Amino acid sequence: MKQKIGIALSGGGFRAAAFHLGTLRKLNQMGILGKVDVISTVSGGSIVGAAYTLNKDNFEGFEKEFKEGLQRNMLKTSYVVLAIVGLFVLILPFVLAYFAWYLLFLYLPVIALFLKFQFNLLPFSKMIEKRYSQVFYQNKTLKDLPHSPVLAINSTNIESGRPFTFSKEKMNDSFYEYSQNGRKSIKFRNDNFPISRAVMASSCVPFAFTPIKIAKSYYQNSQDYKLINPTLIDGGVYDNQGIHKLTHHGSVYECENIIVSDAGTGFKPLTQMNNTLMLLIQTSELFMNRIKNIQFINNVILNKYLGKKSIAYLSLAYDPKTCLSYFANYVKGGQLTSTIIEAHGLSEEEIAKMTKQEITAYMEQRINYGELQKSFPIDNVLEVALGVGTNLTALSYEQIEALMAVAESLTELQVRLYCPNIIK
């Protein structure tokens, strides 16, 4: 039976989208991209994953157009609306006080109404969805996606506490898809669901954007609309690497060979938190980083016992110069599957006799490390890449190229180390 190949593209706004573009380009050059069965995406990864699958037969054209899209701001209209509403809320109390101080009591119901109807007054998600469609997806819907590779766009459903996934064949989460406590299975019509809305659900950062709802017209049985209330936010809240669907046993998206492209730079300490919003955002970052660490341990360190898959992780936080050393540690520590070890022409008996330094030297020759080193980004390129934020504002050409260069060098290195069986 053919072993399936999956790619997981993490969240991280336009930074992630540009980083993953480098990953896809290198996999295309290596002759692997065309053999990929499933692409599982989250947030920024969904932006580039959806654009690629819609244009998979012309990678050069896709890359050129996507780079141009990354140089356009997705938040331009949102800034105008925020400024108008913000000025009204801030200036109103001064206007009331000018006429009579007791009129300030009228300000309290205004604030209450603003909080109650915040999502209607500040429909940021609808604005960004429209920009996504204009720049990247041209009003395409899920039915326009190709059959292969299968694209799984992941969001987080805060009603069910599970991933809600969009694909060509279906959109749902397991809480609705299977009967629960006497409640029947609930299914959705996915054919005409806009790709831009699915990507918006996947990149709907909590506290910043409006949660995405599923309209009544997308239910197979319209009466089910009264039974549930799917409320979708950024897929990174549940799984910011997009790897869950590819490793979850029994999932239709499960793969045996997995490449994880992670645009994260690690948890950054924040010494000053001056307001509740900053506290909420940092708390969310902490949760997501903790989930990422647990997934890495399960999928790489304990994979030999739990999953027995070939999984190549690459992250913007990685220094390419240290990756081989970590691999040698895993080999010597017996933490890699026999499939990977045997693909590199080693046996457990040989490893037992070798030192870490000998393993490193052996692998340097095995993967042609000297040649790979020539592509390692220089310090100023790394600095530019690491300095890019995780928002949806326009990137410069220099930032895009820096992120792609880092991703390309890490992709070939990590795939040659951890997924040697998918390379000719």
Side-chain angles (χ1 to χ4, degrees), residues 94-134:
F94 294 100
V95 173
L96 294 173
Y98 176 80
F99 291 101
W101 67 268
Y102 54 81
L103 291 177
L104 287 173
F105 288 109
L106 297 175
Y107 187 60
L108 296 178
V110 171
I111 293 298
L113 288 171
F114 174 77
L115 294 175
K116 181 176 178 61
F117 297 103
Q118 175 188 345
F119 294 156
N120 300 95
L121 293 170
L122 301 172
F124 292 146
S125 293
K126 291 182 179 178
M127 299 175 194
I128 298 170
E129 176 191 329
K130 185 176 180 180
R131 289 286 288 164
Y132 280 163
S133 186
Q134 292 171 341

Side-chain angles (χ1 to χ4, degrees), residues 78 119 211 371:
S78 304
F119 294 156
E371 192 65 28

Side-chain angles (χ1 to χ4, degrees), residues 15-28:
R15 179 177 77 192
F19 183 81
H20 302 324
L21 183 59
T23 299
L24 295 175
R25 179 162 71 178
K26 177 54 66 175
L27 292 175
N28 188 52

Side-chain angles (χ1 to χ4, degrees), residues 14 18 63-74 76 131 135-136 392-401:
F14 269 10
E63 180 184 329
K64 180 178 180 295
E65 290 187 9
F66 193 75
K67 282 182 179 178
E68 292 172 355
L70 290 176
Q71 295 175 70
R72 299 174 65 177
N73 192 340
M74 297 294 106
K76 190 180 298 183
R131 289 286 288 164
V135 176
F136 298 117
L392 296 174
T393 56
L395 299 183
S396 68
Y397 182 80
E398 179 189 20
Q399 289 174 318
I400 295 170
E401 289 298 318

Side-chain angles (χ1 to χ4, degrees), residues 312-350:
Y313 256 87
L314 57 119
S315 171
L316 181 55
Y318 289 1
D319 181 349
K321 295 187 290 293
T322 65
C323 289
L324 183 55
S325 177
Y326 277 106
F327 180 82
N329 282 337
Y330 296 148
V331 172
K332 191 62 181 173
Q335 294 165 321
L336 298 181
T337 65
S338 58
T339 303
I340 297 175
I341 299 300
E342 291 168 6
H344 283 303
L346 292 170
S347 67
E348 292 186 5
E349 292 76 17
E350 289 174 308

Side-chain angles (χ1 to χ4, degrees), residues 207-373:
F207 321 124
F209 303 140
T210 314
I212 300 299
K213 301 285 189 176
I214 305 296
K216 187 176 183 179
S217 59
Y218 295 110
Y219 285 73
Q220 287 192 9
N221 182 346
S222 60
Q223 296 302 312
D224 291 340
Y225 181 74
K226 302 174 183 178
L227 303 178
I228 59 173
N229 183 32
T231 305
L232 310 182
I233 60 172
D234 196 302
V237 174
Y238 190 92
D239 165 26
N240 198 41
Q241 279 62 56
I243 192 174
H244 173 76
K245 289 292 180 181
L246 300 179
T247 58
H248 187 63
H249 183 65
S251 167
V252 296
Y253 309 106
E254 184 181 10
C255 294
E256 290 74 35
N257 303 284
I258 300 167
I259 300 160
V260 184
S261 182
D262 176 19
T265 57
F267 182 73
K268 301 292 178 63
L270 189 63
T271 54
Q272 292 185 345
M273 277 172 271
N274 302 320
N275 53 62
T276 303
L277 179 60
M278 291 177 67
L279 177 62
L280 288 171
I281 292 173
Q282 187 70 352
T283 301
S284 177
E285 290 285 338
L286 176 59
F287 286 156
M288 290 163 66
N289 190 69
R290 178 62 177 158
I291 293 168
K292 170 185 172 179
N293 291 338
I294 292 172
Q295 287 182 325
F296 179 82
I297 291 170
N298 286 340
N299 293 319
V300 176
I301 308 300
L302 300 179
N303 175 52
K304 179 177 180 180
Y305 311 102
L306 299 178
K308 298 184 179 179
K309 301 177 184 295
S310 295
I311 303 177
Y313 256 87
L314 57 119
S315 171
L316 181 55
Y318 289 1
D319 181 349
K321 295 187 290 293
T322 65
C323 289
L324 183 55
S325 177
Y326 277 106
F327 180 82
N329 282 337
Y330 296 148
V331 172
K332 191 62 181 173
Q335 294 165 321
L336 298 181
T337 65
S338 58
T339 303
I340 297 175
I341 299 300
E342 291 168 6
H344 283 303
L346 292 170
S347 67
E348 292 186 5
E349 292 76 17
E350 289 174 308
I351 292 170
K353 298 174 184 177
M354 299 170 73
T355 65
K356 178 191 168 184
Q357 290 72 26
E358 289 173 330
I359 294 171
T360 302
Y362 173 85
M363 291 304 303
E364 284 180 351
Q365 287 190 324
R366 181 82 184 178
I367 66 171
N368 198 6
Y369 186 72
E371 192 65 28
L372 292 178
Q373 277 185 304

